[in-house]
């Protein structure tokens, strides 16, 4: 089968022919239809992600497909079940084996492409905003990188939770996407001063930051007293150093958040969240935004779109049709 693999952290990933795997105890084999790309894939390809896989490794954090076979001791999901899988690795291939507990059945109305774009982005924003930041109805939520994979879902979920949402992104095209997702106020970070604009809008109660760098520093200075800043990631490449005196004076809370980390110590947080999110999808309260769909042989182009920030919402690699 074909798989998009890292063979050397100093060289680009490549499409390779490898043997098809078979499920072991507690595992299922999935015929993969689609894989959602994430910024973490870029970091993993360079050996810079929190979890560094042994080489060779197949990229792809999240996927969707059909269960083809099950290993010993697996009663669910059964062969033929359409599932989404938070795999960590292995999604950019024609098939893969994964722990059965990582598989979530997907609604009949959901396409494989939507399912592959769903778990990480929506799961990150929902758990961050509800479980960690305790976002309240009527509060002001500032979302940085608001047209990106996780940022756009933060706009959508923040609005659904009753917040007033300020979306910050670079350029009119990206801001239009954030507006369509429910943003109340828009800030073009390419032409406007983020701190001044947010202050003019009354300040922020919660900041959702997948960008880091100078935008983090500007957003922190635009926070209201007792605001919460959620650190999601550092897409800018700049990990900001947090001045403790500013946190002290304004009674701010800085919250670190890594969605995948909950698998190790509180997996029920993720499963409960995903159950709620899939229900919202079935109720048509969530609408995944996919800006690019590419075949497996163009997976490298998909990663380049993320690197250049040339996409909005999610980039999905389609491996087999629905």
């Amino acid at each position: 089968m074909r798989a998009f693999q890292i063979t050397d952290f100093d060289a680009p990933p490549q499409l390779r022919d490898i043997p098809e795997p078979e499920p072991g105890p507690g595992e299922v084999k999935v015929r993969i239809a689609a894989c959602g790309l994430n910024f973490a894939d870029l970091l993993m390809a360079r050996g810079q992600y929190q979890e560094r896989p042994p080489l060779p490794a197949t990229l792809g954090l999240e996927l969707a497909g059909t269960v083809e076979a099950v290993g010993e001791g697996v009663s669910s999901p059964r062969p033929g079940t359409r599932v989404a899988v938070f795999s960590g690795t292995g999604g950019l291939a024609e098939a893969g084996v994964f722990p059965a507990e990582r598989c979530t059945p997907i609604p009949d109305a959901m396409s494989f492409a939507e399912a592959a774009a769903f778990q990480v982005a929506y799961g990150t924003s929902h758990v961050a905003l509800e479980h960690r930041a305790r976002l309240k109805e009527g509060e002001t939520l500032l979302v940085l990188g608001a047209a990106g994979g996780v940022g756009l879902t933060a706009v959508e979920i923040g609005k659904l939770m009753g917040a007033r949402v300020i979306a910050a992104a670079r350029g009119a095209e990206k801001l239009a996407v954030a507006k369509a997702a429910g943003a109340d106020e828009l800030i073009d970070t390419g032409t406007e001063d983020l701190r001044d604009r947010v202050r003019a809008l009354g300040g922020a109660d919660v900041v959702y930051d997948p960008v880091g760098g100078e935008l983090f520093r500007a957003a922190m200075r635009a926070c209201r007293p007792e605001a919460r800043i959620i650190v999601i990631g550092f897409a800018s490449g700049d990990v900001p150093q947090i001045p403790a005196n500013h946190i002290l004076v304004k009674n701010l809370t800085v919250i670190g958040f890594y969605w995948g980390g909950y698998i190790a110590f509180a997996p029920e947080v993720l499963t409960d969240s995903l159950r709620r999110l899939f229900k919202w999808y079935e109720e048509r309260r969530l609408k995944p935004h996919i800006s690019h769909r590419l075949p497996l042989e163009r997976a490298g182009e998909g990663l380049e779109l993320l690197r250049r920030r040339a996409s909005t919402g999610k980039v999905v690699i389609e491996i087999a049709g629905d």
Side-chain angles (χ1 to χ4, degrees):
M1 70 174 190
R2 298 179 303 159
F4 191 66
Q5 291 197 320
I6 320 161
T7 57
D8 184 333
F9 291 124
D10 293 321
Q14 56 186 285
L15 197 61
R16 305 177 70 215
D17 287 318
I18 64 172
E20 284 212 6
E22 294 302 327
E27 294 180 331
V28 300
K29 179 179 180 179
V30 176
R31 184 60 55 182
I32 300 171
C35 178
L37 297 186
N38 292 275
F39 193 78
D41 291 307
L42 284 173
L43 298 177
M44 193 175 295
R46 298 194 294 259
Q48 297 172 350
Y49 193 53
Q50 293 99 317
E51 299 165 12
R52 187 166 172 156
L55 302 182
T58 302
L59 286 174
L61 286 175
E62 58 180 332
L63 62 99
T66 303
V67 176
E68 193 168 82
V70 302
E72 181 183 348
V74 175
S75 58
S76 177
R78 299 176 64 84
T81 305
R82 300 169 75 246
V83 294
V85 185
F86 174 61
S87 56
T89 58
L92 287 171
E94 292 176 320
V97 294
F98 310 102
E101 65 267 19
R102 294 279 189 102
C103 299
T104 302
I106 61 178
D108 292 340
M110 179 178 269
S111 70
F112 284 128
E114 287 179 315
F118 195 82
Q119 291 187 102
V120 172
Y122 280 104
T124 294
S125 293
H126 182 240
V127 178
L129 293 175
E130 184 176 86
H131 180 73
R132 294 290 281 140
R134 309 291 183 185
L135 178 67
K136 302 180 187 70
E137 184 174 357
E139 288 190 313
T140 295
L141 167 66
L142 169 62
V143 180
L144 307 181
V150 291
L152 193 60
T153 61
V155 171
E156 197 174 0
I157 290 174
K159 190 65 179 174
L160 201 137
M161 292 176 66
R164 174 193 180 216
V165 179
I166 302 172
R170 184 179 290 269
E173 181 181 349
K174 291 184 176 182
L175 288 173
V177 172
K179 180 70 173 177
D184 298 289
E185 306 286 349
L186 306 173
I187 299 175
D188 188 335
T189 54
T191 61
E192 299 179 271
D193 185 286
L194 180 74
R195 183 186 66 172
D196 290 347
R197 283 280 286 117
V198 175
R199 281 181 169 178
L201 292 168
D205 297 300
V206 174
V207 176
Y208 181 99
D209 179 20
V211 179
E214 193 53 45
L215 289 182
F216 173 93
R217 291 182 276 271
M220 184 180 65
R221 287 167 172 78
C223 282
R224 293 173 176 168
E226 294 194 328
R228 291 89 75 202
I229 305 171
I230 320 168
V231 178
I232 303 293
F234 314 104
S236 66
D238 179 353
V239 179
Q241 300 305 301
I242 301 169
N245 59 319
H246 287 222
I247 298 171
L248 182 151
V249 169
K250 290 184 107 174
N251 290 291
L252 303 180
T253 301
V254 179
I255 302 169
F257 182 72
Y258 170 39
W259 184 78
Y262 279 85
I263 289 173
F265 69 91
E268 70 281 358
V269 171
L270 303 190
T271 54
D272 290 349
S273 170
L274 288 171
R275 192 176 300 114
R276 176 101 62 90
L277 290 166
F278 279 119
K279 185 174 186 295
W280 282 347
Y281 174 88
E282 290 185 283
E283 294 170 350
R284 299 184 179 181
R285 302 173 77 184
L286 299 176
K287 187 178 181 181
H289 176 83
I290 301 170
S291 66
H292 295 79
R293 301 175 186 233
L294 301 170
L296 183 57
E297 56 268 21
R298 296 175 62 188
E301 294 177 42
L303 291 176
E304 182 63 13
L305 287 168
L306 297 189
R307 190 191 67 78
R308 293 189 291 108
R309 300 186 205 176
S311 59
T312 56
K314 294 287 284 192
V315 175
V316 171
I317 303 302
E318 295 186 304
I319 300 163
D322 277 308

